[in-house]
Amino acid sequence: MNYSIAGWNLPQDADGVVFDVGSLYPLFRGLTDQRKRRGVRYELAVLLVALLLAKLAGETKPSGMADWVQERSALFLETFGLKPKRMPHHNTYRRVLKDAVVIEELEQVAQHFLGALPQTGTPVQICLDGKTVRGTIAFGETRGLHLLAAYLPGAGVVLCQVAVDTKTNEIGAAPQVLKMLDLRGKIVTGDAMFAQRALSGLIVEAGGDYVWTVKDNQSQLKADIELLFAGDHECVPGFSPAPTDFQTAQQVTSGHGRIEKRTVTTSSLLKETCTWPGAEQVFKVERETRLVAHGVTRTEVAYGITSLSATEAGPARLLGLVRTHWHIENGLHYRRDVTLAEDACRVQHRDVAQALTILNNLVLALLLRFQSNAAKAQRYYAAHPDQALRLVFFHPARL
């Protein structure tokens, strides 16, 4: 018998289940449904909630999500007062994501909800980085759906995400992302691709700061920084060496059979001669990694530029910002690829794939709201779907 008492634990009154204004469910209800009214059996918001809950429970493919929802149909029928006696086939979910959802609206809903989470109000660092959804790369092609995200590393939240046009790259999409954000008091970090004058100027004008890695795409700037930190400046006889303002910080960590030593050296000497927008400091990061078992040592040197002054960010803080930037790899990309199996999903239609990535961003933020281990949180919500429903019925401030 298909029977469930899970819905009894949800907040209810005489009219049924109660939900907060501003929670995910009413936000989903406000989305435009592009389907023709005739023949529509399931409300768009209900289908999106069903997909979200299935993902919270660990399902990663449309067929698996549909089966999970079907096995808990009593919960959905009771909670939402549905007339059909069963939940839809997985092809229905695919068709709805393809034909009914306006991707831009769904992304706006995600931005609105995630921006209201309590943990998004305090972090100051925003990481920019892109990711390709590999399942969308067609046979014989080299490029699929590529998304650029603005990520809060401390909160595990994607503030916004846009698809990169096939005719451009992340540099072309970055202004669109940055203009969606309130950058006042924020520090935007990115790899060498984003070390662009226009992006730097945009951030500074918006009241924010930047920290970029500098590589050969900015060859003159890199050469100037290398020369400054070269340490082999010749001194003319009879004259004292040129003064420097170098400051240094070092950090040593160990684990996984490795000992890593990172040293950062900063300087403000290029500020007067550098024409880079808002530039205050440049820095050099030296990484030394020793593989204990093999006795092998690897070294790496990287350079960077920032609009943060020496009083705002000394070498220790700059080193922390550079290291934290890469949290987007294991905090977002890795979890989406491994925990949520995003790259293993074979959905090739770009709109469907992008809608699923937006749901993945929501899922990760909800999973990490109370638990640092996303996989463990999934196991909990798989066993307690009523608690997962609370996540979509409560306002973010109450989660």
Side-chain angles (χ1 to χ4, degrees), residues 187-204:
I187 302 170
V188 181
T189 59
D191 60 25
M193 175 180 289
F194 300 105
Q196 305 291 327
R197 291 176 179 272
L199 286 181
S200 303
L202 189 157
I203 292 169
V204 172

Side-chain angles (χ1 to χ4, degrees), residues 50 89 99 111 130 140 203 285 297 322 367 377:
H89 187 267
D99 299 328
Q111 289 180 36
I203 292 169
V285 180
T297 299
V322 172
L367 288 175

Side-chain angles (χ1 to χ4, degrees), residues 51-102:
L51 289 173
L52 190 71
L53 264 60
K55 280 181 167 291
L56 281 168
E59 297 297 333
T60 59
K61 299 179 180 179
S63 56
M65 296 178 217
D67 289 344
W68 185 90
V69 173
Q70 183 59 46
E71 291 296 327
R72 291 152 185 81
S73 59
L75 172 62
F76 289 92
L77 297 177
E78 176 187 359
T79 301
F80 297 103
L82 302 178
K83 293 181 180 180
K85 297 304 181 183
R86 56 180 286 118
M87 295 301 287
H89 187 267
H90 66 84
N91 282 336
T92 300
Y93 294 100
R94 296 173 190 267
R95 186 170 59 252
V96 165
L97 291 178
K98 176 177 177 287
D99 299 328
V101 174
V102 179

Side-chain angles (χ1 to χ4, degrees), residues 221 224-225 228-229 243-248 264-276 278-284 304-315 318:
L221 178 61
D224 291 343
I225 300 173
L228 177 66
F229 290 117
T244 65
D245 64 345
F246 295 173
Q247 297 185 65
T248 301
V264 63
T265 305
T266 64
S267 174
S268 301
L269 291 178
L270 289 186
K271 176 183 175 181
E272 299 302 325
T273 58
C274 181
T275 60
W276 197 269
E280 287 284 339
Q281 296 185 88
V282 294
F283 58 91
K284 173 184 178 182
I305 189 168
T306 179
S307 61
L308 293 165
S309 67
T311 55
E312 293 173 317
L318 273 180

Side-chain angles (χ1 to χ4, degrees), residues 6 8 36 40 49 87 92 108 124 144-145 181 190 200 212 226 241 257 333 355 371:
W8 294 1
K36 295 180 180 179
V40 172
V49 168
M87 295 301 287
T92 300
Q108 289 171 5
V124 297
L145 175 66
L181 305 173
S200 303
W212 307 133
E226 282 181 317
H333 299 337
Q371 171 66 253

Side-chain angles (χ1 to χ4, degrees), residues 248-264 285-292 316 319-320 323:
T248 301
Q250 191 173 90
Q251 184 182 67
V252 179
T253 59
S254 61
H256 306 287
R258 299 182 301 182
I259 299 175
E260 297 186 10
K261 181 171 70 173
R262 304 173 189 85
T263 305
V264 63
V285 180
E286 299 170 276
R287 303 183 184 93
E288 181 181 289
T289 304
R290 183 170 180 267
L291 304 180
V292 178
L319 180 58
R323 287 203 67 197

Side-chain angles (χ1 to χ4, degrees), residues 122-140:
T122 53
V124 297
Q125 183 172 358
I126 299 174
C127 304
L128 281 184
D129 199 22
K131 177 186 181 299
T132 296
V133 183
R134 297 191 181 278
T136 62
I137 303 177
F139 180 76

Side-chain angles (χ1 to χ4, degrees), residues 1 6 21 25 61 88 90 139 159 176 190 198 249 266 282 287 317 336:
M1 181 172 63
V21 174
Y25 177 55
K61 299 179 180 179
H90 66 84
F139 180 76
L159 287 177
Q176 181 184 353
T266 64
V282 294
R287 303 183 184 93
R317 188 184 184 198
R336 276 174 40 175

